[in-house]
């Protein structure tokens, strides 16, 4: 089994559409979480606070620069995630297709690398 993140990505517009009927969206999400729990694939699920409450630490210069949110150049916002423990990427994709979202949203599916997959000192990870 491998762990996969289903990363919820939205925009200001999709977030507003979701908030317009928040009770229905929460109900659908609760049912989705129950389905994943019954299937035994859910590891974790978290939503994130409004991006205006966050900060960015930018390491582009000599010293880190901290900027309070919201982030004007961001077109898509990471709104939360579901972490699943499933056999294949395709199984993770099938669950991602069932995430309750509004039109215009995206779900990014990413495998979580295991600790033993990290390159050792002096080794290449093959992705150069």
């Amino acid at each position: 089994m491998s762990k996969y993140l289903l990363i919820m990505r939205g925009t200001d517009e999709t977030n507003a559409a979701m908030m317009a009927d928040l009770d229905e969206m929460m109900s659908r999400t609760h049912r989705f979480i129950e389905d994943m729990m019954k299937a035994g694939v859910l590891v974790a699920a978290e939503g994130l606070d409004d991006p205006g409450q966050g900060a960015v630490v930018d390491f582009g210069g000599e010293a880190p620069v901290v900027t309070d949110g919201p982030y004007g150049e961001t077109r898509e916002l990471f709104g939360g995630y579901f972490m699943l423990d499933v056999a294949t990427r395709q199984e993770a994709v099938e669950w991602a297709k069932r995430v309750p979202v509004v039109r215009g949203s995206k779900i990014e599916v990413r495998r979580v690398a295991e600790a033993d997959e990290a390159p050792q000192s002096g080794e290449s990870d093959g992705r150069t």
Side-chain angles (χ1 to χ4, degrees):
M1 299 292 271
S2 294
K3 291 187 177 109
Y4 284 85
L5 280 180
L6 308 184
I7 303 167
M8 298 180 290
R9 293 177 22 202
T11 62
D12 288 339
E13 293 79 19
T14 61
N15 290 344
M18 181 185 71
M19 295 303 285
D21 197 359
L22 187 58
D23 290 340
E24 173 60 23
M25 183 60 69
M26 294 300 291
S27 177
R28 291 175 53 207
T29 301
H30 182 72
R31 287 191 302 270
F32 178 65
I33 289 171
E34 286 178 343
D35 289 347
M36 290 187 294
M37 289 173 63
K38 288 177 186 172
V41 300
L42 182 65
V43 175
E46 301 283 344
L48 298 178
D49 197 3
D50 181 277
Q53 302 301 311
V56 170
V57 180
D58 183 345
F59 294 91
E62 288 191 32
V65 175
V66 178
T67 306
D68 291 334
Y71 323 111
E73 67 277 357
T74 301
R75 301 239 188 302
E76 293 181 347
L77 302 170
F78 175 12
Y81 68 91
F82 298 100
M83 183 182 287
L84 308 182
D85 193 4
V86 295
T88 65
R89 176 180 169 271
Q90 187 56 42
E91 186 178 356
V93 167
E94 291 304 317
W95 281 106
K97 290 179 183 179
R98 296 178 56 191
V99 174
V101 295
V102 298
R103 183 178 302 275
S105 299
K106 294 179 183 177
I107 302 293
E108 181 178 344
V109 178
R110 302 269 307 268
R111 190 176 70 82
V112 178
E114 300 291 329
D116 62 351
E117 293 179 289
Q120 301 302 312
S121 179
E123 289 182 14
S124 170
D125 66 1
R127 293 183 254 172
T128 55

